[in-house]
Amino acid sequence: MRNLRTCLVGAALLSTSYYSLAQSTTEANPPNVVLILVDDMGLMDLGAFGGEIHTPTIDRLAEQGTKFTNLHASPVCAPSRAMLMTGSDSHLTGVPNLPEMLPEEYQEIPGYEGILNDRVQTIATRLKEQDYNTYTTGKWHLGHDENTLPNVRGFDRSFVLSGSGSDNYSTKGYLPFKPKTQWYADGQPADLPEDFYSSEFYVDELIRYHQEEEQSDRPFFSYLAFQALHAPLQAPTEYVEKYLEVYQAGWDALREARFAKAKEMGIIPETATMNPNHDGHRAWTDLTEKEQRDHATDMATMAGMLEAMDYHIGRYVQYLEEQNLAENTVFIVTSDNGPDGGDYSTLYRWAERSQGFHRDFENHGGYRFYGSLGPEFASALAAPFSYYKYYTGEGGLRVPLVVAGPGLPQQQTDASLCF
């Protein structure tokens, strides 16, 4: 277990005693580890952290283990992923910022390559040294060549999206400079099945890796990195419909409700006062009725996307329970940064014209819908804090963390941690 304690879950957990994995774990019986990374999730999105979204699987894990309310990530995804995978500062990994945002003149400087370099080891590499089986599915965003894909960075099996994001139903890109996204299975270019939905397929593949494993007596490490909740927000209609009325009161009401809940849960002091809205943010009452309905539908899509993801996580947990693997498994759930408040209006016009996306709110949420939060709802989701993804305010940095497993305490803690 020495190397597991050294590398697991980045620098965040290096500063804690949790990965002694308590007295119940021994050298002869090392734990399985499931690391679940959600994309662009705010601290209070999960039900266990006071949110209004139905996430029973993660909530159950939170009840069985420890909820951390003071974990800080990077304000953008790729550096967080690099630190999470290596336990090293993002500059040491070669991924100090989003690769898409690195100026060309920086890319010749060591530490600014925009891809995971060879100067660091991944958690998967370290766990292979301890005879773990290692699997990953989902968003990688740390490189897409023969030196950086998961199959050469310690993972036995992998199916990954190499870039920052994609349509959740196809290989269509959401950015003009990435009109087609790239997927890799065990290091080789791969196509997607016709019935692909990201959250469902990632879990399907992970279960398949277990079923095909010839050395199933070994412990395993599963890294499950969802596209949810990254733009474009998309979810099966039946999930979205549950939330169409939930956000009709708007972002001001949601921000106030989460602020009050944060006090109730002890996340912030009872004496705390809410910061004013950011400059340029509109009041909900200033919108037309149609604008309110459209923005509430975007939020309903985000909520449905999170619930759908939680449902598929539940399928994986159930599979592990049926195989008698869950009892000796450590589950870790966290996010790479806070909610995304980017303005996608210009990108949507390109995506509609070139990729066939739509924002038909009567056909809410599903196939080829281009959902996005906008700054006001992102600010509400980041409550009780200020700002959101891309900003170094608490709302962009402070994310939930759940750790549940053998011998770990059932508690909520505000211990200060960081990736």
Side-chain angles (χ1 to χ4, degrees), residues 344-371:
Y344 284 85
S345 56
T346 302
L347 293 175
Y348 164 66
R349 288 192 288 272
W350 166 84
E352 179 185 38
R353 182 180 64 254
S354 302
Q355 303 287 72
F357 284 99
H358 70 85
R359 280 179 67 74
D360 174 8
F361 289 97
E362 297 304 316
N363 181 19
H364 38 261
Y367 179 73
R368 209 54 58 78
F369 182 71
Y370 199 96

Side-chain angles (χ1 to χ4, degrees), residues 252-298:
D252 298 321
L254 179 61
R255 187 166 182 250
E256 291 170 2
R258 289 202 173 188
F259 191 87
K261 189 67 175 180
K263 285 187 176 182
E264 180 185 325
M265 295 184 67
I267 295 172
I268 57 175
E270 291 185 3
T271 56
T273 57
M274 189 161 58
N275 289 333
N277 270 326
H278 310 307
D279 292 343
H281 283 201
R282 299 162 293 176
W284 185 253
T285 53
D286 291 341
L287 274 60
T288 67
E289 184 176 330
K290 180 181 184 306
E291 288 172 332
Q292 290 180 349
R293 185 174 65 252
D294 291 352
H295 282 291
T297 301
D298 273 323

Side-chain angles (χ1 to χ4, degrees), residues 1-8 13-14 19-21 27:
M1 293 307 301
R2 181 175 61 256
N3 287 335
L4 178 57
R5 290 199 298 271
T6 304
C7 195
L8 188 54
L13 292 178
L14 298 183
Y19 278 81
S20 64
L21 293 177
E27 296 285 345

Side-chain angles (χ1 to χ4, degrees), residues 3-287:
N3 287 335
L4 178 57
R5 290 199 298 271
T6 304
C7 195
L8 188 54
V9 193
L13 292 178
L14 298 183
S15 60
T16 76
S17 61
Y18 281 86
Y19 278 81
S20 64
L21 293 177
Q23 297 80 10
S24 63
T25 299
T26 68
E27 296 285 345
N29 188 31
N32 309 306
V33 181
V34 175
L35 172 57
I36 298 170
L37 186 62
V38 188
D39 205 326
D40 297 351
M41 182 171 64
L43 176 66
M44 298 186 68
D45 285 346
L46 298 168
F49 286 76
E52 68 288 340
I53 301 169
H54 189 56
T55 53
T57 302
I58 300 175
D59 294 352
R60 179 163 67 98
L61 294 175
E63 292 170 2
Q64 294 169 348
T66 300
K67 294 188 298 181
F68 292 83
T69 62
N70 198 13
L71 169 66
H72 289 73
S74 163
V76 288
C77 58
S80 288
R81 292 162 193 272
M83 291 187 285
L84 195 61
M85 281 292 96
T86 66
S88 299
D89 178 85
S90 60
H91 289 79
L92 296 177
T93 71
V95 192
N97 198 347
L98 292 175
E100 297 83 0
M101 294 184 177
L102 282 172
E104 287 187 15
E105 59 270 25
Y106 278 40
Q107 294 175 20
E108 300 300 321
I109 302 173
Y112 286 83
E113 298 89 348
I115 58 175
L116 197 63
N117 61 40
D118 291 328
R119 296 189 294 274
V120 291
Q121 281 190 306
T122 69
I123 176 178
T125 301
R126 300 296 292 272
L127 290 177
K128 286 304 299 177
E129 296 171 356
Q130 300 296 314
D131 293 325
Y132 272 67
N133 297 323
T134 54
Y135 317 126
T136 183
T137 58
K139 175 178 166 180
W140 181 240
H141 205 193
L142 297 175
H144 49 82
D145 61 21
E146 66 276 9
N147 299 310
T148 53
L149 284 168
N151 62 298
V152 292
R153 302 314 299 261
F155 287 96
D156 298 323
R157 303 296 308 274
S158 59
F159 194 106
V160 295
L161 165 67
S162 64
S164 62
S166 176
D167 179 34
N168 289 274
Y169 292 92
S170 74
T171 60
K172 287 187 178 293
Y174 74 110
L175 297 171
F177 54 88
K178 288 187 176 181
K180 182 176 174 62
T181 50
Q182 304 299 318
W183 305 78
Y184 296 87
D186 298 332
Q188 298 300 314
D191 293 323
L192 301 178
E194 290 186 4
D195 60 349
F196 176 81
Y197 178 66
S198 61
S199 295
E200 180 178 18
F201 181 77
Y202 295 151
V203 170
D204 286 347
E205 284 295 280
L206 208 50
I207 291 173
R208 184 170 70 85
Y209 296 160
H210 285 284
Q211 293 171 336
E212 295 177 351
E213 180 59 64
E214 295 180 355
Q215 297 174 311
S216 58
D217 57 327
R218 292 181 175 181
F220 66 86
F221 169 57
S222 294
Y223 172 40
L224 182 53
F226 287 98
Q227 286 174 244
L229 304 161
H230 195 284
L233 301 174
Q234 297 166 319
T237 301
E238 62 268 25
Y239 288 98
V240 179
E241 288 176 341
K242 299 179 182 182
Y243 296 94
L244 287 175
E245 304 299 322
V246 172
Y247 300 102
Q248 295 294 327
W251 46 62
D252 298 321
L254 179 61
R255 187 166 182 250
E256 291 170 2
R258 289 202 173 188
F259 191 87
K261 189 67 175 180
K263 285 187 176 182
E264 180 185 325
M265 295 184 67
I267 295 172
I268 57 175
E270 291 185 3
T271 56
T273 57
M274 189 161 58
N275 289 333
N277 270 326
H278 310 307
D279 292 343
H281 283 201
R282 299 162 293 176
W284 185 253
T285 53
D286 291 341
L287 274 60

